[in-house]
């Protein structure tokens, strides 16, 4: 906090007289030889609705949402980043950075436009993309639900109450669980020999918040908590049904590590912080929201115990389905995928636990510190990345893949340092003995950022959406250097510090930034008195 930072700077300045850039024993972090280095993307975001060969999906919830319901401020996603036709050259770019892994998704709407009707050409295409990546030495991770579903699963044009509007919101929809598992099984029968890593679902909570609370994702429900809880439970069962299908169908070990299929979830993750650490309501609200955001689903996929109404216990019998132990959920996950974009702060209120905390849109309601922000409003705070990784490790002791991490930054002037700083936090996690297996930067190229359309730039490469030309941003070289050297040392940290952060009001020296991380390392998530996010 502020106090620590001022006293650190004051002591440092008093002792050294020339600022705080002296090395106070910064550990060099190193990455193991078998560490996976990659990028991540989602099919619809980089492919759009219309494929290079004229194939059109025009059957997805997001297609309707953007084309007919103005879901992205009037923008439509015709070609995404053009990956459908340019995948060979993009994969070359990817491999040229020295990366050895790539996370892609397969668009359910494209592959199964009607229930049990398969678009073989679309599936052939994905097989070709995956094999091309394999031929370039890439380990491939596949996601099956990255928010885009066929309109026979969710058609936002249908009226409220019509199940065809949203099968995801139909309570305990076993038909949907089976349909999803069928889709996954069908695809895995074609790709299983080349793929071992499956991040089955992407960020369930982002859709809960975006589609059923804020109404900015299809089907656009506003504060529909009942639907949100039903969707949450369905996604929990969909993942475990898909996991069973994958384990049954994929018996080929593509990378020779003795395992043919490793199941994970790509989870939006951040330990939850109180907006004001001195306010007891905020502290309690942060603790409770942490349970909802970070723990509830993964608890179910590990212990088999399901909390349907989110009230913190698994004993309610009047929910649909009833709460309690589900053997089919237990031990679903082989690993956890963490997607960290910045800390989440919560304001507390006097409610029924665990509904006592609301995340705060930073900037709109003030900010809890002077730390810089990315263009999409995420606060830059690498220490919380470390804390988040440690939280999941302490609570679940499952291997961790960092399935997404990145920066919204069209100018490209925050991303270089942010990448070094965040990867340094990852390296400190490795040094502390946390089983982190790989890191996937979001994303190789700019792409269609959902309701924000093309206004947000997450690409290592900038995309000109008219010509589809790609231009490397400076982080291409920075990321390639870290991958080549497999380490981040004091010299690189100092270089990165000199690149600065736009909008950094902290006045922090490099050692102040490092001290924040070291404080997390020293105190860890057992620092319950302040944050109460202990397991
Ligand atoms: O673009 C998204 C992605 O689809 C899910 N994770 C966060 C990214 C950046 O906002």
């Amino acid at each position: 906090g502020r106090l620590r930072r001022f006293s650190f700077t004051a002591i440092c300045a008093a002792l050294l007289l020339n600022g705080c850039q002296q090395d106070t024993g910064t550990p060099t972090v190193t990455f193991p030889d078998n560490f996976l280095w990659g990028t991540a993307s989602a099919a619809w975001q980089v492919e759009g609705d219309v494929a290079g060969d004229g194939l059109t999906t025009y059957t997805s919830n997001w297609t309707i949402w953007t084309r007919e319901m103005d879901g992205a401020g009037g923008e439509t996603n015709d070609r995404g980043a053009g990956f459908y036709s340019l995948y060979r050259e993009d994969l070359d770019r990817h491999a040229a950075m020295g990366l050895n892994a790539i996370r892609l998704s397969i668009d359910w709407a494209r592959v199964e436009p009607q229930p049990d009707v398969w678009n073989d050409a679309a599936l052939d295409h994905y097989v070709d993309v995956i094999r091309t990546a394999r031929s370039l030495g890439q380990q491939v991770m596949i996601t099956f639900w990255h928010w885009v579903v066929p309109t026979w699963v969710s058609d936002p044009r249908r009226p409220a109450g019509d199940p065809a509007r949203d099968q995801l919101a139909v309570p305990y929809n076993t038909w949907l669980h089976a349909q999803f598992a069928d889709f996954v099984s069908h695809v895995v029968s074609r790709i299983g020999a080349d793929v071992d890593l499956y991040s089955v679902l992407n960020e369930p909570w982002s859709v809960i918040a975006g589609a059923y609370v804020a109404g900015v994702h299809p089907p656009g429900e506003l504060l529909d908590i009942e639907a949100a809880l039903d969707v949450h439970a369905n996604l929990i069962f969909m993942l475990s049904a898909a996991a069973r299908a994958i384990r049954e169908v994929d018996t080929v070990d593509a990378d020779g590590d003795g395992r043919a299929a490793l199941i994970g979830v790509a989870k939006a993750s951040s330990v939850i912080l109180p907006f004001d650490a001195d306010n007891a309501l905020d502290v309690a609200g942060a603790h409770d929201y942490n349970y909802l955001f970070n723990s509830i689903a993964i608890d179910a996929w590990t212990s088999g115990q399901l909390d349907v109404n989110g009230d913190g216990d698994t004993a309610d019998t009047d929910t649909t389905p009833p709460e309690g132990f589900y053997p089919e959920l237990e031990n679903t996950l082989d690993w956890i995928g963490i997607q960290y974009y910045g800390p989440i702060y919560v304001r507390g209120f006097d409610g029924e636990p665990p509904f006592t905390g609301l995340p705060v849109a930073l900037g709109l309601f003030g900010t809890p510190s002077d730390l810089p922000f990315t263009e999409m409003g995420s606060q830059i705070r690498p220490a919380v990345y470390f804390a988040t990784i440690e939280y999941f490790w302490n609570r679940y002791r499952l291997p961790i893949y960092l399935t997404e991490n990145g920066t919204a930054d069209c100018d490209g002037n925050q991303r270089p340092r942010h990448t070094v700083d965040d990867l340094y936090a990852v390296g400190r996690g490795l040094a502390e003995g946390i089983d982190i297996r790989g890191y996937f930067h979001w994303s190789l190229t700019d792409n269609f950022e959902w309701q924000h359309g093309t206004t947000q730039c997450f690409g290592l490469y900038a995309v000109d959406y008219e010509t589809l030309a790609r231009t490397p941003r400076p982080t291409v070289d920075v990321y390639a250097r870290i991958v080549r050297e497999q380490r981040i040392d004091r010299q690189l940290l100092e270089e990165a510090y000199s690149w600065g952060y736009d909008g950094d009001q902290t006045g922090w020296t490099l050692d102040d930034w490092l001290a924040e991380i070291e404080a997390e390392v020293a105190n860890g998530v057992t620092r319950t008195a302040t944050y109460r996010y202990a397991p």
Side-chain angles (χ1 to χ4, degrees):
R2 243 167 237 277
L3 192 61
R4 187 178 65 235
R5 153 173 126 225
F6 285 142
S7 55
F8 181 91
T9 308
I11 293 164
C12 185
L15 292 177
L16 303 168
L17 298 173
N18 56 351
C20 284
Q21 294 304 308
Q22 276 69 18
D23 187 347
T24 51
T26 315
T28 291
V29 298
T30 56
F31 299 87
D33 287 346
N34 59 354
F35 197 72
L36 294 188
W37 293 106
T39 64
S41 66
W44 189 76
Q45 290 184 270
V46 292
E47 294 172 355
D49 293 319
V50 180
D53 58 3
L55 190 75
T56 173
T57 64
Y58 208 61
T59 48
S60 85
N61 56 338
W62 269 93
T63 309
I64 302 295
W65 186 243
T66 45
R67 286 186 189 273
E68 297 186 21
M69 303 175 81
D70 204 19
E75 275 198 272
T76 57
N77 183 16
D78 299 340
R79 297 181 294 181
F83 185 70
Y84 204 93
S85 51
L86 299 178
Y87 66 96
R88 285 172 193 280
E89 59 168 88
D90 273 355
L91 292 173
D92 281 340
R93 268 184 199 99
H94 187 275
M97 290 168 62
L99 307 179
N100 59 3
I102 190 160
R103 175 173 170 242
L104 303 164
S105 85
I106 291 189
D107 189 333
W108 188 2
R110 204 186 273 284
V111 170
E112 194 181 2
Q114 297 299 328
D116 311 315
V117 174
W118 303 101
N119 179 341
D120 293 332
L123 193 46
D124 288 346
H125 170 85
Y126 285 120
V127 170
D128 192 43
V129 173
I130 290 169
R131 294 213 173 127
T132 306
R134 295 284 296 149
S135 73
L136 292 165
Q138 307 299 305
Q139 166 101 254
V140 179
M141 179 185 284
I142 291 293
T143 303
F144 294 100
W145 178 82
H146 199 124
W147 310 354
V148 172
V149 295
T151 44
W152 56 269
V153 173
S154 175
D155 184 341
R157 292 168 299 193
R158 301 292 188 110
D162 179 347
R165 177 176 171 83
D166 193 8
Q167 293 288 349
L168 276 161
V170 172
Y172 194 45
N173 189 347
T174 52
W175 170 82
L176 182 65
H177 311 162
Q179 285 293 338
F180 182 62
D182 268 5
F183 154 64
V184 169
S185 168
H186 189 84
V187 173
V188 172
S189 69
R190 295 287 312 279
I191 66 170
D194 290 298
V195 178
D196 290 347
L197 287 171
Y198 298 96
S199 50
V200 179
L201 304 180
N202 183 78
E203 296 186 5
W205 196 264
S206 306
V207 170
I208 306 284
Y212 304 94
V213 180
V216 294
H217 286 196
E221 321 299 14
L222 205 59
L223 291 175
D224 190 343
I225 303 302
E226 219 172 292
L229 292 171
D230 287 329
V231 172
H232 195 236
N234 278 325
L235 288 168
I236 288 174
F237 283 98
M238 283 163 70
L239 187 144
S240 69
R244 282 193 300 281
I246 295 169
R247 289 188 175 120
E248 196 182 305
V249 176
D250 185 350
T251 52
V252 181
D253 174 11
D255 66 358
D257 71 350
R259 301 289 299 268
L262 292 166
I263 310 295
V265 60
K267 191 173 165 344
S269 310
S270 171
V271 288
I272 307 298
L273 309 181
F275 188 85
D276 175 357
D278 296 325
N279 177 320
L281 276 180
D282 287 3
V283 171
H287 174 261
D288 286 352
Y289 191 72
N290 186 72
Y291 168 70
L292 295 169
F293 181 74
N294 286 316
S295 310
I296 183 168
I298 299 195
D299 284 1
W301 287 316
T302 49
S303 70
Q305 293 288 348
L306 182 66
D307 175 2
V308 174
N309 57 16
D311 69 355
D313 67 48
T314 57
D316 298 297
T317 49
D318 58 350
T319 56
T320 311
E323 293 185 347
F325 177 65
Y326 285 82
E328 69 267 42
L329 299 181
E330 193 184 22
N331 297 327
T332 294
L333 297 178
D334 294 307
W335 54 271
I336 294 172
I338 292 177
Q339 323 215 125
Y340 173 83
Y341 286 90
I344 296 172
Y345 295 89
V346 151
R347 275 285 192 204
F349 55 86
D350 225 349
E352 191 61 39
F355 300 103
T356 63
L358 270 184
V360 173
L362 297 180
L364 270 185
F365 301 101
T367 56
S369 77
D370 303 329
L371 290 158
F373 290 87
T374 71
E375 282 168 17
M376 217 166 88
S378 308
Q379 195 187 55
I380 295 177
R381 196 161 192 183
V384 177
Y385 197 11
F386 174 87
T388 300
I389 294 168
E390 195 187 35
Y391 170 80
F392 283 96
W393 175 243
N394 282 352
R395 190 174 172 102
Y396 301 105
R397 280 293 192 270
L398 282 172
I400 287 169
Y401 288 88
L402 303 163
T403 40
E404 284 183 26
N405 170 250
T407 322
D409 179 21
C410 291
D411 297 339
N413 49 17
Q414 283 192 330
R415 186 178 293 100
R417 179 172 165 202
H418 197 187
T419 303
V420 174
D421 281 355
D422 271 7
L423 279 171
Y424 183 76
V426 172
R428 288 300 285 120
L430 281 161
E432 292 302 300
I434 301 177
D435 185 3
I436 308 170
R437 304 270 172 101
Y439 170 89
F440 295 79
H441 194 88
W442 183 275
S443 185
L444 179 66
T445 61
D446 289 341
N447 56 63
F448 199 87
E449 178 61 24
W450 308 110
Q451 73 271 28
H452 304 288
T454 56
T455 62
Q456 302 297 317
C457 314
F458 279 92
L460 294 167
Y461 283 82
V463 169
D464 177 328
Y465 288 98
E466 289 296 311
T467 63
L468 297 184
R470 276 91 163 109
T471 309
R473 292 199 173 96
T475 310
V476 168
D477 290 338
V478 175
Y479 189 26
R481 172 173 164 191
I482 296 169
V483 171
R484 191 171 58 245
E485 296 177 353
Q486 298 279 108
R487 69 207 293 266
I488 298 175
D489 58 12
R490 175 81 189 189
Q491 192 193 332
L492 178 53
L493 288 168
E494 279 178 12
E495 245 179 86
Y497 181 82
S498 75
W499 303 330
Y501 280 132
D502 275 359
D504 180 3
Q505 307 285 319
T506 58
W508 284 10
T509 66
L510 171 60
D511 284 309
D512 291 333
W513 283 91
L514 295 175
E516 251 236 326
I517 297 182
E518 291 312 315
E520 282 300 337
V521 174
N523 298 327
V525 290
T526 54
R527 194 168 47 172
T528 51
T530 315
Y531 293 149
R532 288 188 37 190
Y533 51 62

